[in-house]
Amino acid sequence: MTATGGYDLVIRSARVVLPGGERPAAVAVRDGRIAAVAEHGAPLGPVPPGAEIDLGATALLPGLVDTHVHINEPGRTEWEGFATATRAAAAGGVTTLVDMPLNSLPPTTTPAALAVKRDAARGRVHVDVGFWGGAVPGNVPSLAPLHEGGVFGFKCFTADSGVPEFPPLSHEQMRAAFTAIAALGGLVIVHAEDPAALSEPGDGGYPAFLASRPPDAERRAVERVVRLVEETGARAHILHLSAAACLEPLAKARARGLPVTAETCPHYLTLSADDVPRPDATAYKCCPPIRDPGNRDELWRGLADGVISCVVTDHSPCTPELKRGDFATAWGGISSLQLGLPAVWTAARARGHGLDAVARWMAAGPAALAGLTGRKGEIAAGADADLVAFDPDATFVVDPSGLRHRHPVTPYAGASLTGVVEAAWLRGRIIDPDGAPRGELLTRP
């Protein structure tokens, strides 16, 4: 038990990533929260034996917040599950995630389905987990009860979702959902592709698949979302932005003060269409698709300019059988919970960005999206003591057998990445992915 005036844990590092930048500091923890951020050599205590840690030059980051994760339990737990997904998250420095409402059965589109999802997760999560609700045709009456039940917002699709139980919204259905969610003060998160601009992927190779989901499909859908935000007053967020053509309408919307934000994903920032090695390399398949290197460069500029506010994984796994075949038939999703941080850091530092930028994109930005600023996503007094020891100079080669998500399928297999997560703490206690789960189920603040 901590002595009066003392701390449960003190961590010192020459590279603590704070909201104001990176500097040497000491972080003191009491009762699961950050009690103080002091100068590196400041005397702090008393602390229990062994509870004062000096990381040396290993960086101390805030725990990452990933607001775009498909866990798929219950109903499709053979694709993933709460235990395996949250182990992978912890191994990748993610201490908070928000689960998407689809690919589980039932989808999280009613209060009853939310209760089923919570029951499936309870006692099985190694990191903190919240839930998105879903907006689908006919469920406007369920939106207010879901909001009251603590979901962080509502996901909808403008095009086919890939699963029949979560259909897309027509334009009029989107207007009705946006109007209802605006009245709640809620958030709409949108998979934005215009179905009229999509086509069949042809011969099943990657060039044909890429051509079937052109940048204009994203841009047209984004422009529709902006118009609906203006008409209804809803807050909206564009998911997994792939096409740099969307940056212009998003920047214009933000300049006009419209509450529209956007995210992108590690695979759009670190991979390109040129990297796809074979016609059957379907580990690279995702929707919207990974595009050309010039597009990737523009996405980095969008991040640097603040048009894109966060980087999240869109971890969307399935069984290996569903990932086989060609680009016309394989499941579209990339599993990267465990690899997102080193993948982004490898590319970011090569482009001159620091750890403070990566923490802003992968911790503070997603926390702000979910309304968790002040509790998650930053190393600051009063926040949860969710922390990550990260060696920014260590390198490793991705071995799929070392991944903790359920199926070791990844386009990063064999890639050399820089940055190794050495440890992660959840509310001041180190996470043991092989130990008892200690994560909590979160509700919207």
Side-chain angles (χ1 to χ4, degrees), residues 337-388:
L337 259 176
Q338 190 170 333
L339 299 173
L341 175 57
V344 171
W345 171 237
T346 300
R349 76 183 218 158
R351 292 172 180 266
H353 299 289
L355 285 173
D356 56 338
V358 172
R360 183 170 66 250
W361 299 328
M362 302 189 77
L369 176 71
L372 292 171
T373 298
R375 180 177 178 190
K376 302 288 188 181
E378 61 183 1
I379 298 177
D384 286 356
D386 300 346
L387 304 164
V388 176

mmCIF file of all heavy atoms in Angstrom, residues 337-388:
data_model
loop_
_atom_site.group_PDB
_atom_site.id
_atom_site.type_symbol
_atom_site.label_atom_id
_atom_site.label_comp_id
_atom_site.label_asym_id
_atom_site.label_seq_id
_atom_site.Cartn_x
_atom_site.Cartn_y
_atom_site.Cartn_z
ATOM 1 N N LEU A 337 -2.911 -4.858 -35.382
ATOM 2 C CA LEU A 337 -2.924 -4.308 -34.029
ATOM 3 C C LEU A 337 -1.536 -4.323 -33.392
ATOM 4 O O LEU A 337 -1.123 -3.357 -32.754
ATOM 5 C CB LEU A 337 -3.887 -5.109 -33.152
ATOM 6 C CG LEU A 337 -5.260 -4.518 -32.872
ATOM 7 C CD1 LEU A 337 -6.098 -5.506 -32.080
ATOM 8 C CD2 LEU A 337 -5.149 -3.208 -32.113
ATOM 9 N N GLN A 338 -0.824 -5.408 -33.549
ATOM 10 C CA GLN A 338 0.472 -5.563 -32.890
ATOM 11 C C GLN A 338 1.582 -4.812 -33.609
ATOM 12 O O GLN A 338 2.629 -4.538 -33.006
ATOM 13 C CB GLN A 338 0.811 -7.058 -32.797
ATOM 14 C CG GLN A 338 2.021 -7.379 -31.923
ATOM 15 C CD GLN A 338 2.149 -8.869 -31.674
ATOM 16 O OE1 GLN A 338 1.145 -9.603 -31.693
ATOM 17 N NE2 GLN A 338 3.357 -9.338 -31.425
ATOM 18 N N LEU A 339 1.374 -4.462 -34.878
ATOM 19 C CA LEU A 339 2.456 -3.911 -35.696
ATOM 20 C C LEU A 339 2.252 -2.455 -36.076
ATOM 21 O O LEU A 339 3.132 -1.852 -36.693
ATOM 22 C CB LEU A 339 2.588 -4.743 -36.982
ATOM 23 C CG LEU A 339 2.938 -6.216 -36.791
ATOM 24 C CD1 LEU A 339 2.869 -6.950 -38.124
ATOM 25 C CD2 LEU A 339 4.327 -6.374 -36.168
ATOM 26 N N GLY A 340 1.118 -1.875 -35.729
ATOM 27 C CA GLY A 340 0.830 -0.516 -36.174
ATOM 28 C C GLY A 340 1.866 0.494 -35.730
ATOM 29 O O GLY A 340 2.317 1.334 -36.530
ATOM 30 N N LEU A 341 2.258 0.451 -34.451
ATOM 31 C CA LEU A 341 3.217 1.433 -33.939
ATOM 32 C C LEU A 341 4.571 1.321 -34.622
ATOM 33 O O LEU A 341 5.073 2.327 -35.154
ATOM 34 C CB LEU A 341 3.335 1.297 -32.426
ATOM 35 C CG LEU A 341 4.385 2.174 -31.747
ATOM 36 C CD1 LEU A 341 4.166 3.650 -32.035
ATOM 37 C CD2 LEU A 341 4.401 1.912 -30.237
ATOM 38 N N PRO A 342 5.211 0.162 -34.660
ATOM 39 C CA PRO A 342 6.509 0.116 -35.349
ATOM 40 C C PRO A 342 6.405 0.395 -36.841
ATOM 41 O O PRO A 342 7.317 0.996 -37.419
ATOM 42 C CB PRO A 342 7.031 -1.300 -35.072
ATOM 43 C CG PRO A 342 5.857 -2.080 -34.621
ATOM 44 C CD PRO A 342 4.929 -1.116 -33.967
ATOM 45 N N ALA A 343 5.314 -0.006 -37.491
ATOM 46 C CA ALA A 343 5.174 0.273 -38.920
ATOM 47 C C ALA A 343 5.108 1.776 -39.167
ATOM 48 O O ALA A 343 5.813 2.313 -40.047
ATOM 49 C CB ALA A 343 3.928 -0.413 -39.475
ATOM 50 N N VAL A 344 4.282 2.472 -38.392
ATOM 51 C CA VAL A 344 4.160 3.914 -38.580
ATOM 52 C C VAL A 344 5.443 4.623 -38.171
ATOM 53 O O VAL A 344 5.897 5.550 -38.859
ATOM 54 C CB VAL A 344 2.947 4.446 -37.793
ATOM 55 C CG1 VAL A 344 2.923 5.973 -37.795
ATOM 56 C CG2 VAL A 344 1.653 3.907 -38.397
ATOM 57 N N TRP A 345 6.057 4.208 -37.065
ATOM 58 C CA TRP A 345 7.292 4.859 -36.624
ATOM 59 C C TRP A 345 8.411 4.671 -37.651
ATOM 60 O O TRP A 345 9.173 5.604 -37.935
ATOM 61 C CB TRP A 345 7.715 4.332 -35.264
ATOM 62 C CG TRP A 345 9.074 4.777 -34.822
ATOM 63 C CD1 TRP A 345 10.132 3.990 -34.480
ATOM 64 C CD2 TRP A 345 9.536 6.132 -34.664
ATOM 65 N NE1 TRP A 345 11.216 4.755 -34.121
ATOM 66 C CE2 TRP A 345 10.876 6.074 -34.228
ATOM 67 C CE3 TRP A 345 8.953 7.370 -34.861
ATOM 68 C CZ2 TRP A 345 11.639 7.218 -33.991
ATOM 69 C CZ3 TRP A 345 9.700 8.518 -34.623
ATOM 70 C CH2 TRP A 345 11.024 8.431 -34.197
ATOM 71 N N THR A 346 8.522 3.495 -38.235
ATOM 72 C CA THR A 346 9.555 3.249 -39.243
ATOM 73 C C THR A 346 9.438 4.253 -40.387
ATOM 74 O O THR A 346 10.436 4.848 -40.831
ATOM 75 C CB THR A 346 9.440 1.816 -39.783
ATOM 76 O OG1 THR A 346 9.611 0.889 -38.705
ATOM 77 C CG2 THR A 346 10.492 1.539 -40.850
ATOM 78 N N ALA A 347 8.212 4.455 -40.865
ATOM 79 C CA ALA A 347 8.007 5.390 -41.976
ATOM 80 C C ALA A 347 8.069 6.834 -41.519
ATOM 81 O O ALA A 347 8.590 7.699 -42.241
ATOM 82 C CB ALA A 347 6.662 5.101 -42.636
ATOM 83 N N ALA A 348 7.552 7.121 -40.326
ATOM 84 C CA ALA A 348 7.498 8.505 -39.852
ATOM 85 C C ALA A 348 8.887 9.079 -39.644
ATOM 86 O O ALA A 348 9.174 10.211 -40.051
ATOM 87 C CB ALA A 348 6.694 8.578 -38.556
ATOM 88 N N ARG A 349 9.756 8.313 -39.019
ATOM 89 C CA ARG A 349 11.075 8.882 -38.741
ATOM 90 C C ARG A 349 11.880 9.033 -40.029
ATOM 91 O O ARG A 349 12.690 9.954 -40.135
ATOM 92 C CB ARG A 349 11.820 8.074 -37.693
ATOM 93 C CG ARG A 349 12.431 6.766 -38.101
ATOM 94 C CD ARG A 349 13.043 6.126 -36.876
ATOM 95 N NE ARG A 349 14.298 5.445 -37.169
ATOM 96 C CZ ARG A 349 15.214 5.193 -36.236
ATOM 97 N NH1 ARG A 349 15.023 5.583 -34.995
ATOM 98 N NH2 ARG A 349 16.315 4.552 -36.538
ATOM 99 N N ALA A 350 11.634 8.166 -41.011
ATOM 100 C CA ALA A 350 12.312 8.328 -42.293
ATOM 101 C C ALA A 350 11.858 9.607 -42.999
ATOM 102 O O ALA A 350 12.594 10.146 -43.841
ATOM 103 C CB ALA A 350 12.031 7.115 -43.184
ATOM 104 N N ARG A 351 10.685 10.114 -42.640
ATOM 105 C CA ARG A 351 10.164 11.350 -43.224
ATOM 106 C C ARG A 351 10.391 12.564 -42.326
ATOM 107 O O ARG A 351 9.865 13.643 -42.598
ATOM 108 C CB ARG A 351 8.671 11.176 -43.525
ATOM 109 C CG ARG A 351 8.395 10.185 -44.647
ATOM 110 C CD ARG A 351 6.903 9.883 -44.784
ATOM 111 N NE ARG A 351 6.662 8.927 -45.872
ATOM 112 C CZ ARG A 351 6.362 9.251 -47.119
ATOM 113 N NH1 ARG A 351 6.258 10.544 -47.464
ATOM 114 N NH2 ARG A 351 6.164 8.333 -48.035
ATOM 115 N N GLY A 352 11.138 12.376 -41.242
ATOM 116 C CA GLY A 352 11.502 13.497 -40.393
ATOM 117 C C GLY A 352 10.535 13.803 -39.264
ATOM 118 O O GLY A 352 10.662 14.840 -38.607
ATOM 119 N N HIS A 353 9.589 12.921 -38.996
ATOM 120 C CA HIS A 353 8.654 13.125 -37.894
ATOM 121 C C HIS A 353 9.200 12.498 -36.618
ATOM 122 O O HIS A 353 9.894 11.481 -36.650
ATOM 123 C CB HIS A 353 7.291 12.507 -38.215
ATOM 124 C CG HIS A 353 6.637 13.093 -39.429
ATOM 125 N ND1 HIS A 353 6.122 14.372 -39.450
ATOM 126 C CD2 HIS A 353 6.420 12.575 -40.663
ATOM 127 C CE1 HIS A 353 5.611 14.619 -40.637
ATOM 128 N NE2 HIS A 353 5.777 13.545 -41.406
ATOM 129 N N GLY A 354 8.858 13.071 -35.475
ATOM 130 C CA GLY A 354 9.320 12.564 -34.198
ATOM 131 C C GLY A 354 8.289 11.709 -33.498
ATOM 132 O O GLY A 354 7.141 11.557 -33.948
ATOM 133 N N LEU A 355 8.703 11.163 -32.351
ATOM 134 C CA LEU A 355 7.788 10.355 -31.558
ATOM 135 C C LEU A 355 6.597 11.162 -31.066
ATOM 136 O O LEU A 355 5.505 10.614 -30.877
ATOM 137 C CB LEU A 355 8.528 9.750 -30.355
ATOM 138 C CG LEU A 355 9.459 8.577 -30.640
ATOM 139 C CD1 LEU A 355 10.236 8.220 -29.384
ATOM 140 C CD2 LEU A 355 8.674 7.364 -31.140
ATOM 141 N N ASP A 356 6.787 12.465 -30.853
ATOM 142 C CA ASP A 356 5.665 13.281 -30.400
ATOM 143 C C ASP A 356 4.562 13.323 -31.449
ATOM 144 O O ASP A 356 3.367 13.311 -31.117
ATOM 145 C CB ASP A 356 6.131 14.688 -30.020
ATOM 146 C CG ASP A 356 6.859 15.404 -31.148
ATOM 147 O OD1 ASP A 356 7.383 14.732 -32.061
ATOM 148 O OD2 ASP A 356 6.929 16.644 -31.114
ATOM 149 N N ALA A 357 4.923 13.362 -32.728
ATOM 150 C CA ALA A 357 3.919 13.344 -33.789
ATOM 151 C C ALA A 357 3.203 11.998 -33.825
ATOM 152 O O ALA A 357 1.967 11.936 -33.965
ATOM 153 C CB ALA A 357 4.562 13.641 -35.138
ATOM 154 N N VAL A 358 3.949 10.905 -33.699
ATOM 155 C CA VAL A 358 3.336 9.581 -33.718
ATOM 156 C C VAL A 358 2.364 9.435 -32.549
ATOM 157 O O VAL A 358 1.255 8.906 -32.703
ATOM 158 C CB VAL A 358 4.420 8.483 -33.698
ATOM 159 C CG1 VAL A 358 3.794 7.111 -33.514
ATOM 160 C CG2 VAL A 358 5.232 8.520 -34.992
ATOM 161 N N ALA A 359 2.760 9.922 -31.365
ATOM 162 C CA ALA A 359 1.861 9.851 -30.208
ATOM 163 C C ALA A 359 0.622 10.715 -30.425
ATOM 164 O O ALA A 359 -0.485 10.352 -30.004
ATOM 165 C CB ALA A 359 2.595 10.291 -28.947
ATOM 166 N N ARG A 360 0.775 11.843 -31.085
ATOM 167 C CA ARG A 360 -0.377 12.693 -31.368
ATOM 168 C C ARG A 360 -1.351 11.982 -32.305
ATOM 169 O O ARG A 360 -2.568 12.011 -32.107
ATOM 170 C CB ARG A 360 0.099 14.008 -31.989
ATOM 171 C CG ARG A 360 -1.016 15.020 -32.257
ATOM 172 C CD ARG A 360 -0.457 16.371 -32.626
ATOM 173 N NE ARG A 360 0.253 16.368 -33.912
ATOM 174 C CZ ARG A 360 1.559 16.497 -34.054
ATOM 175 N NH1 ARG A 360 2.351 16.610 -32.981
ATOM 176 N NH2 ARG A 360 2.113 16.506 -35.256
ATOM 177 N N TRP A 361 -0.817 11.297 -33.327
ATOM 178 C CA TRP A 361 -1.670 10.623 -34.304
ATOM 179 C C TRP A 361 -2.287 9.340 -33.765
ATOM 180 O O TRP A 361 -3.414 9.000 -34.139
ATOM 181 C CB TRP A 361 -0.855 10.285 -35.552
ATOM 182 C CG TRP A 361 -0.272 11.465 -36.259
ATOM 183 C CD1 TRP A 361 -0.798 12.730 -36.345
ATOM 184 C CD2 TRP A 361 0.961 11.490 -36.991
ATOM 185 N NE1 TRP A 361 0.034 13.539 -37.077
ATOM 186 C CE2 TRP A 361 1.120 12.821 -37.494
ATOM 187 C CE3 TRP A 361 1.945 10.549 -37.276
ATOM 188 C CZ2 TRP A 361 2.231 13.196 -38.257
ATOM 189 C CZ3 TRP A 361 3.041 10.924 -38.033
ATOM 190 C CH2 TRP A 361 3.183 12.237 -38.532
ATOM 191 N N MET A 362 -1.562 8.608 -32.927
ATOM 192 C CA MET A 362 -1.986 7.264 -32.547
ATOM 193 C C MET A 362 -2.490 7.159 -31.109
ATOM 194 O O MET A 362 -2.990 6.103 -30.714
ATOM 195 C CB MET A 362 -0.839 6.269 -32.773
ATOM 196 C CG MET A 362 -0.330 6.238 -34.201
ATOM 197 S SD MET A 362 0.829 4.893 -34.555
ATOM 198 C CE MET A 362 -0.286 3.484 -34.698
ATOM 199 N N ALA A 363 -2.379 8.227 -30.335
ATOM 200 C CA ALA A 363 -2.864 8.208 -28.950
ATOM 201 C C ALA A 363 -3.790 9.388 -28.691
ATOM 202 O O ALA A 363 -4.986 9.212 -28.468
ATOM 203 C CB ALA A 363 -1.676 8.211 -27.978
ATOM 204 N N ALA A 364 -3.261 10.614 -28.755
ATOM 205 C CA ALA A 364 -4.082 11.783 -28.428
ATOM 206 C C ALA A 364 -5.220 11.989 -29.419
ATOM 207 O O ALA A 364 -6.353 12.311 -29.019
ATOM 208 C CB ALA A 364 -3.202 13.028 -28.361
ATOM 209 N N GLY A 365 -4.942 11.826 -30.718
ATOM 210 C CA GLY A 365 -5.978 12.044 -31.728
ATOM 211 C C GLY A 365 -7.144 11.085 -31.597
ATOM 212 O O GLY A 365 -8.309 11.513 -31.545
ATOM 213 N N PRO A 366 -6.906 9.776 -31.540
ATOM 214 C CA PRO A 366 -8.025 8.850 -31.355
ATOM 215 C C PRO A 366 -8.741 9.046 -30.017
ATOM 216 O O PRO A 366 -9.956 8.870 -29.940
ATOM 217 C CB PRO A 366 -7.357 7.475 -31.441
ATOM 218 C CG PRO A 366 -6.119 7.701 -32.236
ATOM 219 C CD PRO A 366 -5.646 9.069 -31.863
ATOM 220 N N ALA A 367 -7.991 9.396 -28.959
ATOM 221 C CA ALA A 367 -8.645 9.662 -27.675
ATOM 222 C C ALA A 367 -9.609 10.833 -27.802
ATOM 223 O O ALA A 367 -10.729 10.803 -27.267
ATOM 224 C CB ALA A 367 -7.598 9.937 -26.598
ATOM 225 N N ALA A 368 -9.192 11.870 -28.520
ATOM 226 C CA ALA A 368 -10.074 13.021 -28.722
ATOM 227 C C ALA A 368 -11.312 12.623 -29.511
ATOM 228 O O ALA A 368 -12.432 13.060 -29.211
ATOM 229 C CB ALA A 368 -9.313 14.139 -29.434
ATOM 230 N N LEU A 369 -11.138 11.788 -30.531
ATOM 231 C CA LEU A 369 -12.275 11.330 -31.325
ATOM 232 C C LEU A 369 -13.312 10.644 -30.444
ATOM 233 O O LEU A 369 -14.520 10.855 -30.592
ATOM 234 C CB LEU A 369 -11.792 10.373 -32.421
ATOM 235 C CG LEU A 369 -12.889 9.730 -33.265
ATOM 236 C CD1 LEU A 369 -13.535 10.763 -34.179
ATOM 237 C CD2 LEU A 369 -12.323 8.566 -34.085
ATOM 238 N N ALA A 370 -12.842 9.819 -29.514
ATOM 239 C CA ALA A 370 -13.738 9.051 -28.646
ATOM 240 C C ALA A 370 -14.211 9.841 -27.427
ATOM 241 O O ALA A 370 -14.965 9.301 -26.608
ATOM 242 C CB ALA A 370 -13.040 7.769 -28.202
ATOM 243 N N GLY A 371 -13.774 11.088 -27.299
ATOM 244 C CA GLY A 371 -14.162 11.875 -26.136
ATOM 245 C C GLY A 371 -13.430 11.488 -24.870
ATOM 246 O O GLY A 371 -13.913 11.745 -23.759
ATOM 247 N N LEU A 372 -12.239 10.912 -25.007
ATOM 248 C CA LEU A 372 -11.482 10.419 -23.856
ATOM 249 C C LEU A 372 -10.298 11.311 -23.498
ATOM 250 O O LEU A 372 -9.454 10.922 -22.678
ATOM 251 C CB LEU A 372 -10.991 8.993 -24.127
ATOM 252 C CG LEU A 372 -12.084 7.930 -24.195
ATOM 253 C CD1 LEU A 372 -11.513 6.608 -24.683
ATOM 254 C CD2 LEU A 372 -12.744 7.748 -22.832
ATOM 255 N N THR A 373 -10.206 12.496 -24.091
ATOM 256 C CA THR A 373 -9.135 13.426 -23.744
ATOM 257 C C THR A 373 -9.202 13.740 -22.252
ATOM 258 O O THR A 373 -10.277 13.961 -21.699
ATOM 259 C CB THR A 373 -9.274 14.722 -24.559
ATOM 260 O OG1 THR A 373 -9.157 14.408 -25.946
ATOM 261 C CG2 THR A 373 -8.200 15.727 -24.186
ATOM 262 N N GLY A 374 -8.029 13.758 -21.630
ATOM 263 C CA GLY A 374 -7.959 13.974 -20.194
ATOM 264 C C GLY A 374 -7.872 12.682 -19.416
ATOM 265 O O GLY A 374 -7.385 12.669 -18.291
ATOM 266 N N ARG A 375 -8.315 11.588 -20.034
ATOM 267 C CA ARG A 375 -8.219 10.285 -19.387
ATOM 268 C C ARG A 375 -7.260 9.357 -20.118
ATOM 269 O O ARG A 375 -6.515 8.618 -19.489
ATOM 270 C CB ARG A 375 -9.601 9.641 -19.296
ATOM 271 C CG ARG A 375 -9.552 8.289 -18.620
ATOM 272 C CD ARG A 375 -10.898 7.639 -18.432
ATOM 273 N NE ARG A 375 -10.732 6.330 -17.819
ATOM 274 C CZ ARG A 375 -11.688 5.430 -17.684
ATOM 275 N NH1 ARG A 375 -12.921 5.713 -18.090
ATOM 276 N NH2 ARG A 375 -11.452 4.257 -17.128
ATOM 277 N N LYS A 376 -7.311 9.383 -21.440
ATOM 278 C CA LYS A 376 -6.499 8.483 -22.248
ATOM 279 C C LYS A 376 -5.688 9.288 -23.262
ATOM 280 O O LYS A 376 -6.015 10.409 -23.610
ATOM 281 C CB LYS A 376 -7.396 7.491 -23.006
ATOM 282 C CG LYS A 376 -8.299 6.632 -22.136
ATOM 283 C CD LYS A 376 -7.530 5.577 -21.367
ATOM 284 C CE LYS A 376 -8.476 4.609 -20.655
ATOM 285 N NZ LYS A 376 -7.721 3.584 -19.876
ATOM 286 N N GLY A 377 -4.599 8.676 -23.758
ATOM 287 C CA GLY A 377 -3.906 9.200 -24.922
ATOM 288 C C GLY A 377 -2.845 10.241 -24.648
ATOM 289 O O GLY A 377 -2.282 10.790 -25.598
ATOM 290 N N GLU A 378 -2.520 10.526 -23.381
ATOM 291 C CA GLU A 378 -1.482 11.503 -23.090
ATOM 292 C C GLU A 378 -0.869 11.212 -21.732
ATOM 293 O O GLU A 378 -1.507 10.614 -20.857
ATOM 294 C CB GLU A 378 -2.041 12.929 -23.122
ATOM 295 C CG GLU A 378 -3.139 13.182 -22.103
ATOM 296 C CD GLU A 378 -3.721 14.582 -22.211
ATOM 297 O OE1 GLU A 378 -3.288 15.343 -23.090
ATOM 298 O OE2 GLU A 378 -4.613 14.916 -21.402
ATOM 299 N N ILE A 379 0.372 11.625 -21.590
ATOM 300 C CA ILE A 379 1.050 11.541 -20.297
ATOM 301 C C ILE A 379 0.894 12.895 -19.633
ATOM 302 O O ILE A 379 1.600 13.862 -19.951
ATOM 303 C CB ILE A 379 2.533 11.159 -20.460
ATOM 304 C CG1 ILE A 379 2.648 9.768 -21.112
ATOM 305 C CG2 ILE A 379 3.240 11.169 -19.108
ATOM 306 C CD1 ILE A 379 4.083 9.330 -21.382
ATOM 307 N N ALA A 380 -0.065 12.986 -18.728
ATOM 308 C CA ALA A 380 -0.382 14.239 -18.059
ATOM 309 C C ALA A 380 -1.028 13.916 -16.721
ATOM 310 O O ALA A 380 -1.697 12.880 -16.568
ATOM 311 C CB ALA A 380 -1.324 15.096 -18.908
ATOM 312 N N ALA A 381 -0.843 14.786 -15.753
ATOM 313 C CA ALA A 381 -1.428 14.579 -14.433
ATOM 314 C C ALA A 381 -2.941 14.435 -14.547
ATOM 315 O O ALA A 381 -3.608 15.201 -15.237
ATOM 316 C CB ALA A 381 -1.069 15.736 -13.515
ATOM 317 N N GLY A 382 -3.465 13.404 -13.891
ATOM 318 C CA GLY A 382 -4.895 13.132 -13.905
ATOM 319 C C GLY A 382 -5.318 12.073 -14.888
ATOM 320 O O GLY A 382 -6.396 11.492 -14.742
ATOM 321 N N ALA A 383 -4.502 11.825 -15.906
ATOM 322 C CA ALA A 383 -4.848 10.805 -16.899
ATOM 323 C C ALA A 383 -4.592 9.412 -16.333
ATOM 324 O O ALA A 383 -3.804 9.223 -15.392
ATOM 325 C CB ALA A 383 -4.031 11.008 -18.168
ATOM 326 N N ASP A 384 -5.267 8.418 -16.920
ATOM 327 C CA ASP A 384 -4.955 7.035 -16.562
ATOM 328 C C ASP A 384 -3.486 6.763 -16.843
ATOM 329 O O ASP A 384 -2.937 7.242 -17.845
ATOM 330 C CB ASP A 384 -5.806 6.070 -17.389
ATOM 331 C CG ASP A 384 -7.257 6.016 -16.930
ATOM 332 O OD1 ASP A 384 -7.592 6.663 -15.920
ATOM 333 O OD2 ASP A 384 -8.056 5.321 -17.593
ATOM 334 N N ALA A 385 -2.860 5.990 -15.986
ATOM 335 C CA ALA A 385 -1.437 5.681 -16.147
ATOM 336 C C ALA A 385 -1.272 4.533 -17.137
ATOM 337 O O ALA A 385 -0.806 3.440 -16.801
ATOM 338 C CB ALA A 385 -0.812 5.348 -14.801
ATOM 339 N N ASP A 386 -1.676 4.798 -18.382
ATOM 340 C CA ASP A 386 -1.511 3.864 -19.501
ATOM 341 C C ASP A 386 -0.248 4.287 -20.235
ATOM 342 O O ASP A 386 -0.211 5.355 -20.866
ATOM 343 C CB ASP A 386 -2.717 3.927 -20.434
ATOM 344 C CG ASP A 386 -4.024 3.563 -19.750
ATOM 345 O OD1 ASP A 386 -3.982 3.013 -18.629
ATOM 346 O OD2 ASP A 386 -5.088 3.826 -20.337
ATOM 347 N N LEU A 387 0.784 3.469 -20.161
ATOM 348 C CA LEU A 387 2.119 3.876 -20.592
ATOM 349 C C LEU A 387 2.773 2.762 -21.389
ATOM 350 O O LEU A 387 2.465 1.576 -21.201
ATOM 351 C CB LEU A 387 2.978 4.225 -19.369
ATOM 352 C CG LEU A 387 2.401 5.305 -18.438
ATOM 353 C CD1 LEU A 387 3.117 5.288 -17.090
ATOM 354 C CD2 LEU A 387 2.496 6.668 -19.086
ATOM 355 N N VAL A 388 3.716 3.149 -22.251
ATOM 356 C CA VAL A 388 4.407 2.180 -23.102
ATOM 357 C C VAL A 388 5.899 2.481 -23.109
ATOM 358 O O VAL A 388 6.309 3.625 -23.396
ATOM 359 C CB VAL A 388 3.869 2.244 -24.550
ATOM 360 C CG1 VAL A 388 4.662 1.305 -25.460
ATOM 361 C CG2 VAL A 388 2.394 1.879 -24.585
#
